[in-house]
Amino acid sequence: MVVSFVSRDGSRWFPEYLSRIDASCIGCGRCFKVCSRDVMHLGGITDSGDIVDAGDGADDEVERLLMIVDHPGRCIGCGACARVCPKNCQSHITSSD
Ligand code: SF4
Ligand code: SF4
């Protein structure tokens, strides 16, 4: 089901929901700063390939940072995160499923 809303001027708005962020993410945090919905948070990949929360004291183990989409259901599909991403590593979907 494709979801749409009506803008203030009466035109249709088709939200594009953030569904995933791939491994080419550099963890710059730009998407996190513009998102008003707490959809994602900063994490890290360890030497052994595990994805961990960057803020839980695992800094020494983290090889590099990346953004994690942990609450996709909160997304309203505003598209702000896609506009600021320098790596084009996000996927968006038109359905809320
Ligand atoms: S589309 Fe909007 S609400 Fe959804 S994750 Fe991106 S910035 Fe947040
Ligand atoms: S803006 Fe793009 S590269 Fe930066 S943290 Fe978000 S998804 Fe990763």
Side-chain angles (χ1 to χ4, degrees):
M1 178 184 68
V2 176
V3 176
S4 71
F5 301 103
V6 179
S7 303
R8 187 179 177 188
D9 65 2
S11 60
R12 285 273 174 202
W13 164 255
F14 292 90
E16 295 191 357
Y17 303 102
L18 179 64
S19 57
R20 66 184 293 268
I21 293 173
D22 71 36
S24 62
C25 170
I26 57 173
C28 68
R30 293 180 189 179
C31 55
F32 179 83
K33 287 178 184 170
V34 299
C35 182
S36 62
R37 299 286 300 167
D38 291 331
V39 174
M40 74 278 282
H41 77 273
L42 195 59
I45 298 181
T46 66
D47 291 345
S48 54
D50 294 329
I51 294 177
V52 297
D53 192 321
D56 70 358
D59 290 356
D60 293 344
E61 305 169 20
V62 169
E63 192 169 86
R64 68 180 183 86
L65 298 173
L66 84 170
M67 197 61 66
I68 299 168
V69 182
D70 54 345
H71 295 291
R74 295 177 181 170
C75 178
I76 58 172
C78 70
C81 54
R83 293 180 65 120
V84 299
C85 180
K87 297 297 288 181
N88 196 26
C89 57
Q90 303 171 5
S91 297
H92 293 254
I93 55 175
T94 55
S95 167
S96 60
D97 296 338

